[in-house]
Amino acid sequence: MKLLIHDLPKEEFTRLFPNITKDILVISNNAPIQNCIGCFGCWIKTPGSCVLRDEYGNIGKLLSKCNEMHIISECFYGGFSDFTKNVLDRGISFIHPYFVIRKGKMHHKLRYKDRIKLKAWFYGSDITSEEKETATKLINANAINFNALEHSVSFYNSIEDMGGESI
Amino acid sequence: MRIAFINGSPKVKDSVSGELLKILKSLLTDKNAEVDTYELYKPQINENVKEELYRYDALVFAFPLYVDGIPSNLLYCLKSLQEFFCSKGPQNIKVYGVINCGFFEGSQNEVAIEILRNWSTKSGLSWGQGIGVGGGGMLISIKNIPLGHGPKKNLGNALHKLVKNILDYKSDNDIFVTPNFPRFLYILGGNKGWRDQIKANGLKVKDLFRQL
């Protein structure tokens, strides 16, 4: 299974990716989403799922069923867009609160045994070279924190350029 | 000089970002420095606040590191602010950032500092300096230890430099702060903290490992 998080309008997404198969779980901006409030409830109150009640409380669980996470996001200042980042913030139940040392620095232990592959697609007509550099560092950091098996990052000047790419 | 402190933590109370801003405020004793504080813990920012923030000499953001970046509540606000600032035109405002993480190493805030710096460039403002604070998880519990002493020695050095730069309207290299405290003890204490908290919620330690 693959988890695809994207921030594209529904019509654009359907037009650009008409052949989404059943093995791809799609998280879209199609319902009201609350922001993470930093309560750590997903670790110490309802371990594995977010305490906030909306349609985005099970991101960690969904990710645990997948071996790949694809993120399609407008590039905001070298990072994810507001919606995409909101989904990721709400998904930290995927990892475990305990601390471990990984690549010489402190990180979180994994909650689940299987490791994922991470692929980020950033789009935007005015992504600067500095922002590309930052986004590349961001995906490297995310990959270490998720202990990803492998990761990649791509940039597109327009969402049209993503059409035809395989997920 | 007019300075805006902007707390970007989504936590309404007891945030480490709030504690860091409190410390910074205590250091900004210059009689010419006028400091106002804003709380952006919701993912919306009203028009009055945007107008007000355009009138300061310096914006000092403090926020926690979430998934290697800026927490989404603040990111929604920054996007809205950037669009507003761009519509008004470039302004001589310096942007400073104090970003804290629960990890020991302050350097893990580097990417979030870069994102804030890229935001300031895109908003027509100028970048001042970023301070990446590690060991944020224990800052509330040691708030009675004076700044510059014990585990807060490095933090004291960094925040004093930041305050001087803000008052001098100066840009400087980013500084990354690790606590003056053994990392293995910080990790042991952190892991014990999670066990204590889950038990306080009526669950068992093994529930920390629950898989769905």
Side-chain angles (χ1 to χ4, degrees), chain A residues 5 11 13 19 25 40 59 61-63 76 143 161:
Chain A
I5 301 167
E11 309 73 44
F13 179 71
N19 301 315
L25 302 172
F40 296 127
I59 305 296
K61 178 184 170 184
L62 293 179
L63 191 49
F76 276 22
D161 298 343

Side-chain angles (χ1 to χ4, degrees), chain B residues 53-56 85 89-94 123-126 169:
Chain B
L53 291 178
Y54 192 64
R55 307 286 165 211
Y56 284 92
F85 286 170
Q91 180 82 313
N92 289 325
I93 299 173
K94 282 254 196 257
S123 301
L125 314 180
S126 72
Y169 196 73

Side-chain angles (χ1 to χ4, degrees), chain A residues 77 85 111 134 137 142, chain B residues 66 68 82 114 211-212:
Chain A
Y77 325 117
K85 185 59 173 43
R111 179 179 300 278
T134 303
K137 285 184 193 172
N142 285 166
Chain B
Y66 276 23
D68 301 300
Q82 179 237 320
E114 278 192 23
Q211 296 188 346
L212 302 176

Side-chain angles (χ1 to χ4, degrees), chain B residues 74-91:
Chain B
L74 179 59
L75 196 52
Y76 283 101
C77 296
L78 287 176
K79 179 67 173 169
S80 180
L81 261 180
Q82 179 237 320
E83 287 165 356
F84 177 81
F85 286 170
C86 286
S87 73
K88 302 286 272 187
Q91 180 82 313

Side-chain angles (χ1 to χ4, degrees), chain A residues 33 35-38 40 43-49 61 64-65 74 76-83 85-86 88-89 92 96-99 101 104-109 111-113 126-128 130-131 133-134 137-138 141-142 145-146, chain B residues 10-12 41-43 66-73 75-76 78-80 82-83 102-105 107-108 110-111 114-119 122-123 183 186-187 190-195 197-198 201 203 205 207-212:
Chain A
I33 181 170
N35 63 285
C36 173
I37 53 171
F40 296 127
W43 287 341
I44 56 166
K45 285 183 184 163
T46 55
S49 62
K61 178 184 170 184
S64 76
K65 312 296 178 201
E74 185 176 355
F76 276 22
Y77 325 117
F80 295 112
S81 69
D82 39 22
F83 169 77
K85 185 59 173 43
N86 203 348
L88 291 171
D89 288 353
I92 62 163
H96 190 283
Y98 274 6
F99 297 116
I101 300 297
K105 288 187 178 176
M106 188 174 163
H107 295 282
H108 285 287
K109 179 185 166 75
R111 179 179 300 278
Y112 298 96
K113 184 169 63 69
D126 59 349
I127 308 175
T128 65
E130 289 82 8
E131 288 171 338
E133 197 177 313
T134 303
K137 285 184 193 172
L138 172 65
N142 285 166
N145 274 317
F146 286 124
Chain B
K11 282 189 178 177
V12 179
Y41 55 84
K42 287 187 176 171
Y66 276 23
V67 197
D68 301 300
I70 295 178
S72 70
N73 59 298
L75 196 52
Y76 283 101
L78 287 176
K79 179 67 173 169
S80 180
Q82 179 237 320
E83 287 165 356
F103 299 135
F104 188 79
E105 305 86 7
S107 60
Q108 296 209 44
E110 182 188 355
V111 174
E114 278 192 23
I115 293 172
L116 187 65
R117 186 172 64 210
N118 295 338
W119 171 82
K122 221 145 210 174
S123 301
R183 184 171 74 173
Y186 180 79
I187 290 175
N191 290 347
K192 180 180 182 305
W194 297 121
R195 292 193 291 275
Q197 288 182 73
I198 201 160
N201 287 328
L203 300 176
V205 169
D207 290 318
L208 283 173
F209 298 82
R210 186 181 294 166
Q211 296 188 346
L212 302 176

Side-chain angles (χ1 to χ4, degrees), chain B residues 9-24:
Chain B
S9 171
K11 282 189 178 177
V12 179
K13 59 175 188 173
D14 294 334
S15 72
V16 175
S17 303
E19 174 66 16
L20 286 164
L21 287 177
K22 202 168 116 187
I23 296 170
L24 265 187

